Amino acid sequence: MGNGNLDKIMTIHDVARELGVSASTVSRAISGKGRIGSATRDRVLQYIDEHGFYPNASAQSLAQSRTNNIAVVLPEVKALVDMPFFHTCMYGIEEMAQANDYDILVVIADGRDTKPLERLILNRKVDGMILTRTYEDDFFAHFLKEKQIPFVTVGTVNDKGITQVDNDNIGACKELVTVLFSKGIERIAYLGGGMEQTVNRCRYEGYLAGFKKSGRAVRSDIIYTNLNNRAMVEKAVDELKEKADCILCQDDYICNEVIRQLAREGVQVPGQMKVASCHYSRVLENYPITITSLKFDIMDLGRRACKILLDSISGKDVPIRTLLDYEVILKESTK
Amino acid sequence: MGNGNLDKIMTIHDVARELGVSASTVSRAISGKGRIGSATRDRVLQYIDEHGFYPNASAQSLAQSRTNNIAVVLPEVKALVDMPFFHTCMYGIEEMAQANDYDILVVIADGRDTKPLERLILNRKVDGMILTRTYEDDFFAHFLKEKQIPFVTVGTVNDKGITQVDNDNIGACKELVTVLFSKGIERIAYLGGGMEQTVNRCRYEGYLAGFKKSGRAVRSDIIYTNLNNRAMVEKAVDELKEKADCILCQDDYICNEVIRQLAREGVQVPGQMKVASCHYSRVLENYPITITSLKFDIMDLGRRACKILLDSISGKDVPIRTLLDYEVILKESTK
DNA sequence: CTGAAAGCGCTTACAG
DNA sequence: CTGAAAGCGCTTACAG
């Protein structure tokens, strides 16, 4: 195996010459496609195993119109708390891709500039794409759909024709609310951020669904959405001190702000106010008190999205919408 | 620009035919290489601008032996606190790559299994690599060097022949210690983790250098290295309560544990014990008290590493070792 | 300045 | 079962 450097890289023709067969035969032996005698195949396979032949990926791509690359589109992440999600998701995708002889090409793209995605597709550098964040009216998703590129979204998108994989955010939040009610907690407030991202919309929907299921009326005076900065969260917490028994936070970021604001104001958790988060991450482990939350398997989310994309690329039928399971983790903060 | 889907993708020959020129001419117009009349060039350029021609990347790669891809090798990250570094670094690399018409191919690899890297190189899917974590005796780095692949490491590696870009960890830690001494803080303890990663070794070296510079003797009874879990950090903190004035933490992870342990034991910071961290991240913003630390520009670290790799790929001379600047951020925890 | 031709390293009908 | 040939879509000496 001691091929010292790239100078000695061999081609399929070198192998063919050495073995006294044709290049076609070598190609067949390697790919397993086409008829070939088993003795010949073994001879070729043994030779390349011993001498370390690696096919030129560009030549293969050109000949087969397949790159064995997929693009992973990541958003520009500002908040620290968002990183673990995309990071972990990407790791899941990468793991599944590797297992299927695919590589991932990572591109950061936000907003409405489709140029980076377009370039990747039109230059045929990738066979498909995974969008790791979805928006209410998803520009990228519509773009890819129109271009008829194989792609899947991690996260829900408002279009029945788009292949999507998501955590069951609605179901999870609904169950969390239901559980809280069953513990005798009545005035459950909701604190959420911007509604452009579908994940936030889903969580809010789940919250509403929990109320509906239990036959309770939603009280709009304890619902805060579109909280986009710390000051807004603080104000909301202030106002809720008297009006709510529990604050259900859309995510770790908001939960973090809530916990800190309650601490600053000397409000005891869970004694005077209970707290729960619609999304668990290890950020939540940094408090003196453990936080009730929903736990999703993000790594698996990435794996599944990748597998579905690869299936779709190879022409298999894939489920249009896949929802992954969750766990309700009850901790001290809602005791 | 309304090319609906991929069916209509055109080749250089389509363009040539439409314009009544040869494919070579079209190629020259696009690449800017070779002699070509400016009138012809403009005609071609205008046509492809209007009709949206995108060259097939695989064909280009095959013809030019250049993929316009680089690989970014990420470690398997277990700890939440490590994510921001690699994530941000990757974003910096991606930004610079995009700006130079390169794409990044992300591969997760840890330990000593060079197979994933080898495959990428021998199949010629990338033109070069960036290792984002380095080890004392770096297996991957030695492997790539032996294979004569263009690559750069983010982080220091113990081999003068390897192109590396790093934060000036030694200089930064040395300065931090010097500053602490100048504030009258004498018994500065050091808490560090495993010494296999060079970053940890550098920080420790900087700590020692700070003592040396000030002419003080290092006291080995207040130095703890190879702290690999929470229990070990807790024990160290316990022991240091009486012996030290300040705990200098190798990174955010250790700092986090230290802060929490001190809180649990009711030790006031900075009143009874001062604390500083050799690495800032927003994790450190989650405490009631702000933490003195060193701040590095990780995004820029990524950008620079990428630029140097690209220069190296295109045959330019590159600095063998680049050290980036830092800031000492003095906060409440060492008041 | 421009074109015809060969070549990059594979794959895959088409014959045999 | 195996090989010769054409083709994938570019680039680039080589002529002119």
Side-chain angles (χ1 to χ4, degrees):
Chain A
M1 295 269 197
N3 42 351
N5 61 51
L6 288 178
D7 296 338
K8 320 182 187 172
I9 271 202
M10 72 180 108
T11 72
I12 211 168
H13 288 102
D14 298 326
V15 178
R17 188 171 1 91
E18 288 302 315
L19 258 33
V21 298
S22 74
S24 338
T25 300
V26 177
S27 177
R28 289 196 192 93
I30 294 168
S31 68
K33 288 185 238 168
R35 305 188 61 76
I36 185 171
S38 59
T40 322
R41 193 205 315 114
D42 294 348
R43 220 154 58 86
V44 173
L45 259 23
Q46 188 188 342
Y47 183 91
I48 67 173
D49 188 45
E50 279 169 7
H51 297 77
F53 165 75
Y54 291 80
N56 181 310
S58 302
Q60 284 186 308
S61 297
L62 183 58
Q64 301 184 108
S65 302
R66 198 165 44 75
T67 64
N68 275 47
N69 290 148
I70 57 172
V72 177
V73 182
L74 259 29
E76 272 168 22
V77 168
K78 346 112 249 286
L80 187 68
V81 287
D82 282 340
M83 284 187 189
F85 178 86
F86 295 104
H87 190 92
T88 308
C89 185
M90 181 181 81
Y91 272 52
I93 294 171
E94 200 270 351
E95 184 185 302
M96 185 58 80
Q98 288 286 332
N100 289 275
D101 294 313
Y102 260 78
D103 289 300
I104 66 169
L105 209 143
V106 169
V107 50
I108 321 292
D110 241 344
R112 312 175 74 77
D113 181 15
T114 55
K115 275 276 148 31
L117 307 195
E118 197 163 11
R119 195 178 53 72
L120 248 27
I121 291 159
L122 295 175
N123 288 326
R124 278 135 295 168
K125 288 195 90 162
V126 297
D127 300 333
M129 292 200 161
I130 297 178
L131 298 180
T132 58
R133 173 180 278 174
T134 55
Y135 297 90
E136 173 60 7
D137 192 27
D138 202 294
F139 195 69
F140 286 166
H142 292 322
F143 171 75
L144 295 175
K145 187 184 177 190
E146 194 226 335
K147 292 283 181 190
Q148 300 183 259
I149 310 302
F151 78 103
V152 350
T153 63
V154 171
T156 296
V157 53
N158 185 21
D159 182 331
K160 305 285 188 192
I162 290 175
T163 306
Q164 36 195 294
V165 182
D166 201 1
N167 290 320
D168 184 8
N169 283 296
I170 298 182
C173 291
K174 180 178 167 187
E175 181 162 331
L176 177 52
V177 167
T178 305
V179 169
L180 293 174
F181 279 140
S182 78
K183 289 168 67 79
I185 301 168
E186 279 300 322
R187 299 180 302 169
I188 305 172
Y190 185 85
L191 260 61
M195 283 295 175
E196 315 82 38
Q197 293 173 38
T198 53
V199 57
N200 297 344
R201 193 170 286 266
C202 287
R203 287 171 183 163
Y204 180 57
E205 264 186 52
Y207 168 79
L208 298 180
F211 273 74
K212 188 165 184 187
K213 181 184 171 194
S214 75
R216 288 172 174 81
V218 175
R219 289 181 34 188
S220 59
D221 65 321
I222 56 173
I223 294 178
Y224 293 79
T225 57
N226 295 305
L227 267 27
N228 293 318
N229 55 52
R230 177 173 300 184
M232 292 174 78
V233 176
E234 286 179 6
K235 179 159 176 289
V237 171
D238 256 18
E239 295 176 7
L240 284 172
K241 272 188 300 190
E242 309 301 326
K243 296 192 291 184
D245 307 317
C246 177
I247 298 179
L248 179 56
C249 308
Q250 168 196 278
D251 57 31
D252 337 25
Y253 171 75
I254 290 182
C255 189
N256 182 42
E257 299 299 340
V258 166
I259 293 279
R260 297 178 67 184
Q261 179 63 9
L262 289 172
R264 272 192 294 268
E265 307 214 355
V267 177
Q268 295 290 327
V269 178
Q272 298 167 278
M273 180 66 81
K274 304 187 195 313
V275 174
S277 170
C278 295
H279 185 70
Y280 163 89
S281 88
R282 272 175 289 183
V283 169
L284 297 182
E285 289 177 358
N286 283 328
Y287 307 113
I289 190 170
T290 54
I291 311 291
T292 289
S293 63
L294 293 167
K295 190 165 184 176
F296 301 96
D297 188 341
I298 312 300
M299 187 95 176
D300 202 46
L301 191 59
R303 283 191 209 101
R304 298 283 286 271
C306 184
K307 186 71 178 91
I308 288 173
L309 176 61
L310 296 182
D311 282 347
S312 150
I313 287 171
S314 55
K316 292 185 196 150
D317 275 338
V318 296
I320 197 75
R321 187 163 157 77
T322 305
L323 282 186
L324 301 198
D325 209 9
Y326 55 88
E327 289 175 60
V328 178
I329 312 281
L330 294 174
K331 296 282 194 178
E332 297 166 303
S333 68
T334 54
K335 274 268 164 65
Chain B
M1 296 268 197
N3 42 352
N5 61 51
L6 288 177
D7 295 339
K8 320 182 187 172
I9 270 202
M10 74 180 108
T11 73
I12 212 169
H13 288 101
D14 298 325
V15 178
R17 188 172 1 88
E18 288 302 315
L19 258 33
V21 298
S22 74
S24 338
T25 300
V26 176
S27 177
R28 290 197 191 93
I30 295 168
S31 68
K33 286 185 239 166
R35 303 188 61 75
I36 186 171
S38 60
T40 321
R41 191 203 318 111
D42 293 347
R43 219 154 60 85
V44 173
L45 258 23
Q46 188 187 341
Y47 184 90
I48 67 172
D49 188 44
E50 279 170 8
H51 297 77
F53 165 74
Y54 291 80
N56 181 310
S58 303
Q60 284 186 308
S61 298
L62 183 58
Q64 302 184 105
S65 302
R66 198 166 44 75
T67 63
N68 275 46
N69 290 147
I70 58 172
V72 176
V73 182
L74 259 28
E76 272 168 23
V77 167
K78 346 110 248 289
L80 188 68
V81 289
D82 283 340
M83 283 188 189
F85 178 85
F86 295 103
H87 190 93
T88 308
C89 185
M90 180 181 81
Y91 271 52
I93 295 171
E94 200 271 351
E95 184 185 300
M96 184 57 80
Q98 287 287 332
N100 289 275
D101 294 314
Y102 259 79
D103 289 298
I104 65 169
L105 208 143
V106 170
V107 49
I108 321 293
D110 241 342
R112 312 174 73 78
D113 181 14
T114 55
K115 274 278 147 35
L117 308 194
E118 198 164 9
R119 195 178 52 71
L120 248 26
I121 290 158
L122 295 174
N123 288 326
R124 279 135 294 167
K125 288 194 90 163
V126 298
D127 300 333
M129 292 200 162
I130 297 179
L131 298 181
T132 58
R133 172 179 279 174
T134 55
Y135 297 90
E136 174 59 8
D137 193 26
D138 201 295
F139 195 69
F140 286 166
H142 291 323
F143 171 75
L144 295 175
K145 187 184 178 192
E146 194 227 334
K147 292 282 180 189
Q148 300 183 257
I149 311 302
F151 78 102
V152 349
T153 63
V154 172
T156 296
V157 55
N158 186 20
D159 183 331
K160 306 284 187 192
I162 289 175
T163 306
Q164 36 194 293
V165 181
D166 201 0
N167 291 319
D168 184 8
N169 284 297
I170 298 182
C173 291
K174 179 177 168 187
E175 181 162 333
L176 178 52
V177 168
T178 306
V179 169
L180 293 175
F181 279 140
S182 77
K183 290 166 67 78
I185 301 169
E186 280 299 322
R187 299 180 302 168
I188 305 172
Y190 185 84
L191 259 61
M195 283 295 177
E196 315 82 38
Q197 293 173 40
T198 52
V199 57
N200 297 343
R201 193 168 285 265
C202 287
R203 287 171 184 164
Y204 180 58
E205 265 186 51
Y207 167 81
L208 297 181
F211 273 74
K212 188 164 185 187
K213 182 184 171 193
S214 75
R216 287 173 175 82
V218 175
R219 289 181 34 189
S220 60
D221 64 321
I222 56 172
I223 293 178
Y224 293 78
T225 56
N226 294 304
L227 266 27
N228 293 317
N229 55 52
R230 176 173 300 184
M232 292 174 79
V233 176
E234 287 178 6
K235 178 159 176 290
V237 171
D238 256 18
E239 295 176 7
L240 285 172
K241 271 188 300 189
E242 309 301 326
K243 297 192 291 185
D245 306 316
C246 178
I247 298 179
L248 179 57
C249 308
Q250 168 197 276
D251 57 31
D252 338 24
Y253 171 75
I254 290 182
C255 189
N256 181 43
E257 299 299 339
V258 166
I259 292 280
R260 297 178 66 186
Q261 180 63 9
L262 289 173
R264 272 192 294 268
E265 307 214 356
V267 178
Q268 294 291 326
V269 178
Q272 298 165 278
M273 179 66 81
K274 304 187 195 312
V275 175
S277 171
C278 295
H279 185 70
Y280 162 89
S281 88
R282 272 174 288 182
V283 169
L284 298 182
E285 290 175 358
N286 283 328
Y287 306 113
I289 191 169
T290 54
I291 311 290
T292 288
S293 63
L294 293 168
K295 189 166 184 174
F296 302 96
D297 188 342
I298 312 301
M299 186 94 176
D300 203 47
L301 191 58
R303 282 191 209 102
R304 299 281 287 272
C306 184
K307 186 72 177 91
I308 288 172
L309 176 61
L310 296 182
D311 281 348
S312 151
I313 287 170
S314 55
K316 292 183 195 151
D317 275 339
V318 295
I320 197 75
R321 187 162 157 78
T322 305
L323 282 186
L324 300 198
D325 209 9
Y326 55 87
E327 291 174 59
V328 177
I329 312 281
L330 294 174
K331 296 282 193 177
E332 297 166 303
S333 68
T334 53
K335 274 268 164 65

